[in-house]
Structures are given as C-alpha cells and as structure tokens.
C-alpha cells in the first residue's frame, strides 16, 4: 500500500505542474504535435505514439479530456496513470498509421505515417553465421542509401549490458559495411551476440494546428542473434 501511495505522490509531483487539461485551454490555443511510428520487423508489429504540447516543443504537455481525444487507425490510445499525456498503440503487422487529433472545439487534425515513408533495411545475404572477439566483426547491410535527415544506429550486444557497442551513421557518414574491431569487442562476454540495426527518419506533419508545428518520428528495426566465440 505504501508503494502505491509513493507512486501516486511521485506521479503528482512529476506531472502535476507540467501538464494542462485540454478543457482548460482556449479553443484558439494551438498544439505542438509529436507523433512516433516504430516498425519492428522481428516482431512484425507497428508501435505508435503521440504527445501534445502548448504552442511549441518546449510548451506544457496537454492531457486530452472532456471530448478531446487522439486516435490511430480509428483506435483509441492507451495511457498510464503515471504518464497520462503519453498516448500509445500497438498494431499487428507493418502498417500505415493515420492519426486524428480531436480538440475540445470539435476541430479534427489529420496526420499520416506511411510504411513507404521510411526505406527498408536488411542484413546482406552473406551475413556471418558466427563472430570472433579476437578477429573483430564485420557485416554488410542492404537497402536504400541514407538520405538527408536520416540516420542509422548499429548495435552489437551480449547479455551483460556493459558490453554494448554502437556505431552511428548518417547521409554524409555512411557505409554499406559495418565493422567492429577486436578492441571494440574485448570486454564482451562469449555466448550469444545480438546485432541490431535501427533506421531513423523525421518527417513534417501533413497538417499543423494553427501556428504550431510538430513532426512524425519514424524508426525501422531488425536484429539477428549469432554465436560469439573467443
């Protein structure tokens, strides 16, 4: 019981002065819209999220209430009592996502993320069947080259999180081959190694709310597990 009370107190302290009820705002107050769409190829699912702020990216978070709402593909969002201004969805498959923000005034604002808005990536056909700490590790990836505004993170990890190593790429610093040296891998535990690639892109909104702007953040992720030898 004490833990529940403590959580409620923390939630109140964290969000009580940092959010505003949409019903307490004038209809003319615009919202900064932040949407996210995460394509997980391994799980064959799409995760979506939305948050809203008063006027700009640094504004107070908005909690939608009294008729105000946001949907994705016609589905109501889920929230958590500790973070009532974070709206989330999970869909089976790699889907387009259509967001609709309904304000208290009755205004509906539509924005969409298409699956084709972010390009596929994949592991090259000759991806190694195992890796060696002593020899280092290299592999190739396939897909469209990174464009301006895009980036990619490539991570290798073993069950002990301290051994995680990451390479970052963007449109001006990109290669179709990723290499981790023996020095990069010297502290990694042998056993199973996970290789993960995530492609990132941000796109402009289809429709702003008045003078406010926003963005749609896109991610496309896939991974492989292989043996890691000494």
């Amino acid at each position: 019981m004490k833990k529940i009370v403590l959580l409620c107190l923390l939630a109140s302290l964290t969000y009580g002065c940092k959010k505003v009820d949409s019903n307490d705002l004038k209809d003319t107050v615009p919202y900064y819209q932040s949407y996210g769409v995460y394509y997980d190829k391994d799980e064959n699912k799409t995760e979506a999220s939305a948050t809203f702020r008063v006027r700009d990216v640094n504004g107070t978070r908005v909690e939608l209430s009294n008729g105000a709402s946001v949907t994705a593909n016609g589905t109501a969002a889920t929230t958590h009592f500790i973070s009532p201004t974070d709206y989330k969805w999970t869909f089976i498959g790699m889907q387009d996502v259509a967001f609709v923000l309904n304000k208290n005034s009755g205004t509906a604002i539509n924005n969409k993320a298409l699956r084709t808005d972010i390009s596929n990536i994949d592991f090259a056909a000759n991806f190694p069947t195992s890796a060696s700490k002593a020899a280092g590790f290299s592999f190739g990836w396939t897909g469209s080259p990174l464009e301006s505004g895009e980036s990619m993170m490539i991570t290798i990890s073993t069950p002990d999180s301290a051994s995680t190593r990451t390479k970052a790429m963007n449109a001006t610093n990109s290669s179709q081959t990723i290499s981790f040296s023996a020095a990069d891998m010297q502290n990694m535990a042998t056993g199973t190694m996970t290789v993960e690639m995530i492609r990132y892109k941000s796109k402009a909104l289809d429709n702003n709310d008045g003078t406010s702007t926003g963005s749609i953040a896109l991610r496309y992720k896939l991974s492989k597990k292989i043996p890691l030898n000494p």
Side-chain angles (χ1 to χ4, degrees):
M1 183 65 180
K2 289 182 180 179
K3 289 183 179 180
I4 295 175
V5 172
L6 179 59
L7 285 172
C8 291
L9 178 60
L10 289 173
S12 176
L13 291 172
T14 302
Y15 289 95
C17 61
K18 295 184 179 180
K19 69 179 179 70
V20 61
D21 193 296
S22 64
N23 199 45
D24 294 334
L25 296 169
K26 292 181 179 180
D27 290 347
T28 54
V29 173
Y31 296 174
Y32 182 92
Q33 304 169 76
S34 296
Y35 300 106
V37 178
Y38 177 26
Y39 295 109
D40 188 328
K41 187 173 182 179
D42 300 330
E43 300 290 337
N44 189 34
K45 69 179 181 181
T46 301
E47 295 180 349
S49 64
T51 58
F52 307 99
R53 293 180 180 270
V54 177
R55 293 189 176 88
D56 60 42
V57 67
N58 297 311
T60 303
R61 284 175 172 250
V62 178
E63 182 175 1
L64 304 173
S65 69
N66 197 33
S69 65
V70 60
T71 62
N73 293 350
T75 303
T78 61
T79 58
H80 191 276
F81 80 97
I82 292 180
S83 54
T85 60
D86 293 320
Y87 300 93
K88 299 181 182 298
W89 301 262
T90 300
F91 302 106
I92 297 172
M94 313 279 271
Q95 299 191 26
D96 296 342
V97 180
F99 297 100
V100 182
L101 166 63
N102 297 288
K103 298 187 69 176
N104 291 87
S105 62
T107 301
I109 302 170
N110 296 271
N111 284 283
K112 183 177 286 188
L114 302 178
R115 174 61 197 86
T116 53
D117 285 335
I118 187 166
S119 299
N120 288 336
I121 50 174
D122 208 341
F123 295 102
N126 62 348
F127 188 86
T129 56
S130 64
S132 164
K133 290 173 56 177
F137 176 65
S138 297
F139 69 94
W141 64 276
T142 62
S144 301
L146 298 179
E147 300 176 353
S148 177
E150 285 191 309
S151 62
M152 193 155 76
M153 300 293 287
I154 300 92
T155 301
I156 57 173
S157 61
T158 50
D160 83 317
S161 59
S163 68
T164 300
R165 295 291 179 269
T166 298
K167 303 279 187 179
M169 298 192 306
N170 56 41
T172 58
N173 177 29
S174 180
S175 171
Q176 296 291 114
T177 300
I178 310 301
S179 297
F180 293 87
S181 68
D184 290 331
M185 304 174 70
Q186 63 179 333
N187 295 321
M188 299 183 76
T190 57
T192 300
M193 181 174 75
T194 299
V195 184
E196 180 181 270
M197 296 194 296
I198 305 179
R199 186 169 189 153
Y200 297 88
K201 181 179 181 180
S202 180
K203 61 168 283 189
L205 298 175
D206 302 313
N207 295 289
N208 295 332
D209 179 15
T211 56
S212 290
T213 59
S215 65
I216 302 175
L218 301 166
R219 293 187 297 170
Y220 183 94
K221 173 248 181 185
L222 74 162
S223 64
K224 277 184 179 289
K225 293 181 184 294
I226 58 172
L228 177 61
N229 302 315

